[in-house]
Amino acid sequence: MHKLLSLMVFVLCAFQVFAQENSWIRINQLGYLPNNKKVAVWVTKSNNGIKKFNIVDKATNKSVFTGKAGKEFGKYGPFTKGYRLDFSKFSQDGEYFVLADDGTKSPTFKINADVYKGTADFALRYMRQQRTLFNPYLKDSCHTHDGFTMYASSVGMPDSTRVEVAGGWHDASDYLQYATTSANATYHLLAAYRDFPSVFTDEKLANGLDGKNGIPDVLDEAIWGLDWLVKMHPQPNIMFNQIADDRDHTKMRLPGQDSVYGRGHERPVYFIDGNPQQRGKFMNNTTGTSSTAAKFVSAFGLGHQLLKEQNSQYADLLKEKAGTAYQYAYIKPGVTQTVSVKSPYIYAEDNWVDDMELAEATMFNLNNDKDHIQKALDFARQEKITPWMQRDTANHYQYYPFINLGHFELAKSSDGKVKKEALQYYKQGIEEVNARAQENMFLRGVPFIWCSNNLTTSFAIQCLWYRDASGDKQFEELEQANIDWLFGANPWGTSMVYGLPEHGDTPTEPHSAFTYLHNYPIDGGLVDGPVYSAIYNNLIGIQLYKPDTYAQFQSDLVVYHDDFGDYSTNEPTMDGTASLIYLLSAKEGESKKKRIIDSQGAIIRGDSSKRQISLIFTGDEFREGLQTVAQTLEKTDVPGSFFVTGRFLEDKKAAKVLKKLNQKGHYVGPHSDQHLLYAPWENRDSLLLSKNEFEADLMVNVQKIKALGIKGVNKFVAPYEWYNKQIAEWSHGLGLELYNFTPGLRTAADYTFPEMGKRYMSTEAIVKQLLEHEVNNGLNGYIVIIHLGTDPKRVDKLFNQLERLIDLLKNKNYKFVPLDEI
């Protein structure tokens, strides 16, 4: 019997080891923002599943959160099954790892507001390294002799005419330069500065060398792009599309050694004439001048807007160039494709109306002519959804940029029906991708075509723009899943950005002359990303130089190699990195939505830089104001957060009202079941109950709320609004974020009645104090509390003045937002 038991124990241990060796947990290696979606992905090659998981504090090795594994996803790529391990309810700062119930353990990760800090500036390193003319990384100049013209005879420039177009960025880790990708990259850099200026630092001079010049580095980089675009559009009737062609790929070399075109260091410069041009034995499928010229318009126009205060002369030039580029786009409506001479690979862009939509929105911002809005809308209706979103494959750069930037600018420049229509197109595209994403554990709906990481980055931006502009958060998990994919929540468990995070699994053998010849790091470069195995197996000239470190994660569906020889998955791109800079700046900007936490651990105020207010309502034994509050919020279109006790919910009519409020988007959360006093009034650091008593009472309250069909219960206001550090810690352990009203206002005194003597404060006195406080201190980021009922001895109820207060504060340009947004 003893031997039998020993054998059984051995078999069980061996089975667990086998399961762990064949199972993995993928995470976002950068970490997670406290209030964002937080999901890890458990995958396996075995037939076993899991039921639950724990978040374990690295410092104490103790579990701080337990969650259910949830839905089981079937076979995907190399894996037989997988689960999405959602721990979004846990938001405590710290360093953790995920431990599944089969023993599978994730790498460690951080939760805090700084996980994206500095990441956008880090990615700018790659942009600087890709500069032509003076290269600050090499501290040398390259491509100073560009170039000689091709196809420009129609404007009096016979082939081989010398033109001065040196500057800009190399397109990828080769040295070709395309106006279409450079203009798009420039626009993204400018938009990043426009939308998130506080994110970027000033550590570099305009030439990219160390030093400060009073200009954020992202703007220096954008100006580098603008300067080159000006050269590529030197006159109203002259515009060039690219410098160099695929003969660049003849051999690996540093850029200063470039001389493969038979004219010393000069390279060909291809003119935009709107007609098909050489593509080896074939001609490309160019149909017009619009796609590239329209991208010039948007870059020049946004550059003008951002630079007109600091450099009016240069900004005026950019405005002039935007106007002439706009005219050039209409010479021959259609798409301009790139040129190759020896190989079949080009940027085969097929769509152009999206570029024209953005150009029209940009022109409206320049001259305020509403005709541009109508023209932009007409173009928007011709391509409502970027076509790849409706397909599972596409040609290389067939639909470029990879999202419709014009929809966002049109929505920003308009209101009412136009804005709603533009955002609806975004939603439709997201829904197309989301339908595919729901079929696998990574929520992967982006096709694995060449440069899939660029599509992933752009799609995350579209989700972000839609969420911010519409307030619709239903795709928040999909948005974050695409970001997580880029930083490790993918089949290979690797970040797709060179060197980011510093101590993570990131590319080390990219397809780049810088690393291949001299081991120079290409910090911040976004690599192309995974491709369908069918694409990889049919590409010309691919071979792996080293054993595949990710061999066990390759599949018949998709491959990714961290190997210099695989230019299809491991070559960084300049324009993809520029898009990533926008995305990272947005995430860092999101983290800068500063919330103020009091000394006891409760969130008591939101971002003090924004004119936002959040209303919270608490209720226990008295509830006579609930209907009035509900009607007022409906009438004024203002969101509210309701925190009620179990005793409050005993009233079935009140429970029904709360359920309807939640269905309309208002938050409903716990306030304890029996409205317990947690700590003595005279000694806050003490406790009047045990942890078990606290948790039992609170979870009864939570379950009563959930019984109404209410989901997403993750915020909590303590009874009597009185708590201490221990209560905050216990709350976090249950996945509940502790909130309280912002000190300074006296609205919490609305429960008092005259018999209380000096403690009593009339409603008029409360309103007067609030307005005086607003004049003297402002209410930016304030959380304002009102009780849903009071003792009958109080006749003047503050909730009856709610509509008046809302109107007064709206007239002072305050916006009422949910707690999640404060």
Side-chain angles (χ1 to χ4, degrees):
M1 178 63 72
H2 178 73
K3 289 182 178 180
L4 180 60
L5 288 173
S6 297
L7 179 62
M8 290 176 64
V9 171
F10 173 79
V11 170
L12 287 171
C13 290
F15 178 78
Q16 186 175 38
V17 169
F18 174 79
Q20 292 175 34
E21 288 179 347
N22 287 271
S23 303
W24 300 266
I25 297 176
R26 304 309 196 194
I27 59 162
N28 183 328
Q29 296 179 47
L30 279 178
Y32 301 87
L33 293 174
N35 293 311
N36 277 22
K37 284 289 183 180
K38 295 179 283 293
V39 178
V41 182
W42 181 94
V43 288
T44 187
K45 286 189 168 185
S46 73
N47 292 319
N48 301 307
I50 60 172
K51 294 185 180 298
K52 63 180 182 179
F53 67 95
N54 289 285
I55 303 299
V56 181
D57 190 313
K58 179 186 175 184
T60 65
N61 212 37
K62 292 182 178 179
S63 174
V64 293
F65 178 86
T66 300
K68 294 180 180 179
K71 174 184 175 181
E72 179 180 296
F73 291 87
K75 179 175 173 55
Y76 184 74
F79 307 115
T80 55
K81 63 178 66 176
Y83 300 86
R84 291 184 61 75
L85 312 181
D86 191 336
F87 53 102
S88 302
K89 292 181 179 180
F90 182 74
S91 56
Q92 186 71 32
D93 286 8
E95 191 166 0
Y96 308 95
F97 59 85
V98 183
L99 184 64
D101 60 11
D102 71 336
T104 306
K105 179 181 175 182
S106 78
T108 59
F109 58 86
K110 294 179 180 178
I111 297 177
N112 64 55
D114 291 333
V115 293
Y116 291 96
K117 186 176 182 179
T119 56
D121 269 334
F122 183 84
L124 274 173
R125 297 184 189 184
Y126 182 73
M127 300 299 294
R128 284 192 291 271
Q129 192 182 61
Q130 292 303 107
R131 286 191 184 189
T132 71
L133 206 55
F134 178 72
N135 186 295
Y137 184 84
L138 297 173
K139 295 183 174 60
D140 195 4
S141 295
C142 63
H143 298 126
T144 59
H145 299 282
D146 289 331
F148 61 91
T149 59
M150 301 289 293
Y151 295 99
S153 59
S154 61
V155 290
M157 289 184 171
D159 283 356
S160 298
T161 300
R162 174 78 169 86
V163 289
E164 202 290 292
V165 289
W169 302 288
H170 305 125
D171 190 60
S173 290
D174 48 31
Y175 304 128
L176 285 81
Q177 294 180 245
Y178 299 115
T180 186
T181 54
S182 293
N184 182 49
T186 301
Y187 185 86
H188 274 86
L189 296 177
L190 290 167
Y193 174 69
R194 175 196 64 189
D195 296 344
F196 311 103
S198 65
V199 163
F200 297 97
T201 59
D202 174 23
E203 301 294 338
K204 301 291 181 181
L205 302 172
N207 63 7
L209 296 178
D210 291 345
K212 299 180 183 293
N213 64 348
I215 298 175
D217 295 337
V218 68
L219 195 52
D220 279 328
E221 206 60 36
I223 291 170
W224 187 266
L226 288 169
D227 288 345
W228 183 68
L229 293 176
V230 167
K231 290 184 178 182
M232 293 290 279
H233 180 41
Q235 297 179 30
N237 65 333
I238 297 174
M239 184 177 287
F240 298 106
N241 194 47
Q242 75 182 67
I243 298 177
D245 52 50
D246 61 313
R247 287 171 286 179
D248 171 277
H249 302 151
T250 304
K251 60 181 179 179
M252 279 286 171
R253 66 214 178 276
L254 288 180
Q257 302 161 357
D258 204 353
S259 56
V260 298
Y261 296 93
R263 287 178 57 115
H265 292 287
E266 289 187 25
R267 300 185 298 170
V269 185
Y270 289 86
F271 179 77
I272 298 175
D273 60 6
N275 300 312
Q277 295 178 358
Q278 182 177 9
R279 184 185 170 191
K281 297 178 182 179
F282 311 99
M283 303 294 280
N284 66 19
N285 293 320
T286 291
T287 61
T289 61
S290 304
S291 59
T292 300
K295 293 184 183 75
F296 275 81
V297 175
S298 57
F300 287 145
L302 186 52
H304 166 78
Q305 290 178 294
L306 296 179
L307 297 171
K308 59 187 177 182
E309 299 298 328
Q310 66 186 63
N311 189 339
S312 59
Q313 185 175 355
Y314 185 63
D316 288 345
L317 172 65
L318 294 178
K319 185 175 183 179
E320 176 189 331
K321 293 292 183 182
T324 56
Y326 178 75
Q327 297 300 322
Y328 208 100
Y330 276 104
I331 290 175
K332 187 178 181 181
V335 66
T336 302
Q337 293 189 347
T338 63
V339 172
S340 65
V341 175
K342 300 177 69 175
S343 71
Y345 306 134
I346 63 168
Y347 286 177
E349 187 174 2
D350 265 353
N351 58 337
W352 57 275
V353 296
D354 57 331
D355 301 306
M356 290 302 298
E357 179 186 352
L358 180 60
E360 292 290 357
T362 300
M363 292 301 292
F364 168 76
N365 291 330
L366 289 179
N367 57 37
N368 206 33
D369 184 345
K370 290 189 176 180
D371 285 346
H372 291 299
I373 293 293
Q374 184 57 53
K375 289 179 181 178
L377 189 58
D378 291 342
F379 282 121
R381 290 168 176 167
Q382 293 179 55
E383 187 178 284
K384 300 174 182 178
I385 304 173
T386 303
W388 72 257
M389 296 182 183
Q390 298 173 292
R391 305 172 57 181
D392 59 6
T393 189
N395 292 327
H396 189 41
Y397 276 60
Q398 184 175 4
Y399 306 115
Y400 187 78
F402 303 111
I403 60 170
N404 189 316
L405 305 173
H407 288 347
F408 181 57
E409 292 304 319
L410 183 58
K412 285 182 62 178
S413 303
S414 312
D415 52 24
K417 293 182 179 180
V418 173
K419 178 178 180 179
K420 184 177 180 180
E421 182 174 341
L423 292 178
Q424 181 63 26
Y425 297 154
Y426 265 168
K427 183 181 181 181
Q428 291 172 9
I430 295 170
E431 288 173 335
E432 294 278 354
V433 177
N434 189 49
R436 296 192 297 270
Q438 297 305 312
E439 299 174 0
N440 64 81
M441 64 286 277
F442 294 103
L443 294 191
R444 184 68 182 174
V446 175
F448 294 110
I449 60 175
W450 211 342
C451 294
S452 64
N453 281 343
N454 294 13
L455 272 70
T456 302
T457 302
S458 294
F459 180 69
I461 292 173
Q462 175 164 324
C463 291
L464 183 152
W465 280 346
Y466 173 73
R467 172 171 57 87
D468 280 355
S470 69
D472 182 356
K473 295 184 177 182
Q474 66 174 304
F475 304 112
E476 195 171 14
E477 184 175 358
L478 179 65
E479 172 192 331
Q480 189 61 47
N482 279 270
I483 298 169
D484 293 345
W485 174 278
L486 295 174
F487 293 101
N490 55 57
W492 306 270
T494 182
S495 168
M496 299 290 173
V497 184
Y498 190 101
L500 194 62
E502 182 180 0
H503 301 295
D505 182 327
T506 79
T508 59
E509 305 289 335
H511 187 80
S512 168
F514 279 80
T515 53
Y516 180 68
L517 296 177
H518 296 284
N519 291 318
Y520 294 154
I522 53 166
D523 289 344
L526 175 70
V527 297
D528 280 341
V531 297
Y532 288 119
S533 297
I535 292 177
Y536 171 77
N537 292 330
N538 287 287
L539 289 174
I540 299 170
I542 283 187
Q543 60 174 323
L544 300 186
Y545 283 63
K546 294 182 178 180
D548 183 6
T549 55
Y550 299 117
Q552 63 182 326
F553 306 122
Q554 314 299 3
S555 68
D556 292 338
L557 173 67
V558 61
V559 298
Y560 167 78
H561 303 105
D562 183 17
D563 191 292
F564 167 78
D566 184 0
Y567 60 81
S568 69
T569 70
N570 210 38
E571 181 178 45
T573 61
M574 174 274 300
D575 60 315
T577 302
S579 298
L580 179 69
I581 289 167
Y582 183 94
L583 180 61
L584 291 174
S585 68
K587 296 305 292 182
E588 185 173 347
E590 198 169 321
S591 73
K592 286 179 176 289
K593 293 178 179 177
K594 298 176 182 177
R595 304 179 309 166
I596 297 175
I597 299 175
D598 68 9
S599 61
Q600 305 302 317
I603 299 168
I604 58 170
R605 188 176 178 181
D607 189 341
S608 61
S609 69
K610 295 185 177 180
R611 294 182 75 80
Q612 296 179 340
I613 293 172
S614 194
L615 295 177
I616 63 174
F617 304 91
T618 59
D620 177 34
E621 59 179 318
F622 302 114
R623 56 188 71 85
E624 75 278 4
L626 177 61
Q627 194 65 50
T628 299
V629 169
Q631 292 171 350
T632 301
L633 297 184
E634 177 79 17
K635 181 178 179 180
T636 58
D637 192 25
V638 163
S641 296
F642 294 80
F643 295 90
V644 296
T645 64
R647 297 194 304 194
F648 190 98
L649 293 170
E650 291 171 3
D651 185 315
K652 301 303 181 183
K653 290 183 178 180
K656 188 175 181 179
V657 173
L658 287 169
K659 182 176 181 179
K660 287 184 178 180
L661 282 166
N662 180 253
Q663 291 171 344
K664 292 179 180 180
H666 303 280
Y667 177 79
V668 177
H671 192 46
S672 90
D673 189 58
Q674 296 297 312
H675 206 252
L676 305 177
L677 182 63
Y678 293 151
W681 295 108
E682 66 280 0
N683 186 6
R684 189 170 195 171
D685 292 336
S686 299
L687 286 167
L688 296 175
L689 76 176
S690 68
K691 181 180 181 182
N692 287 339
E693 291 170 330
F694 166 81
E695 291 181 345
D697 171 82
L698 187 53
M699 292 315 295
V700 168
N701 189 192
V702 170
Q703 291 306 317
K704 288 179 179 178
I705 292 171
K706 289 183 176 180
L708 299 176
I710 293 172
K711 299 179 180 180
V713 180
N714 56 10
K715 289 176 279 291
F716 166 52
V717 170
Y720 302 100
E721 293 77 55
W722 190 246
Y723 48 89
N724 56 30
K725 292 179 181 179
Q726 190 65 73
I727 295 298
E729 183 178 324
W730 289 346
S731 300
H732 288 308
L734 295 174
L736 295 169
E737 195 82 62
L738 184 63
Y739 282 82
N740 199 11
F741 62 86
T742 306
L745 298 185
R746 298 296 308 281
T747 58
D750 68 339
Y751 75 93
T752 60
F753 46 86
E755 287 79 355
M756 289 183 172
K758 293 181 178 180
R759 290 172 57 194
Y760 169 66
M761 193 171 184
S762 70
T763 291
E764 278 306 310
I766 291 173
V767 172
K768 181 181 178 182
Q769 189 272 336
L770 182 148
L771 295 176
E772 289 177 350
H773 187 87
E774 191 280 327
V775 170
N776 296 324
N777 305 282
L779 299 178
N780 287 11
Y782 266 50
I783 299 171
V784 179
I785 189 172
I786 294 177
H787 290 97
L788 290 170
T790 68
D791 189 289
K793 297 186 185 72
R794 183 182 182 99
V795 178
D796 56 328
K797 312 284 188 176
L798 181 59
F799 54 73
N800 288 326
Q801 298 298 316
L802 179 58
E803 183 177 351
R804 173 189 169 199
L805 281 175
I806 289 173
D807 289 341
L808 286 170
L809 294 173
K810 277 187 173 182
N811 288 334
K812 290 176 174 285
N813 296 317
Y814 286 98
K815 181 180 180 181
F816 289 87
V817 300
L819 274 178
D820 280 342
E821 296 181 20
I822 196 74

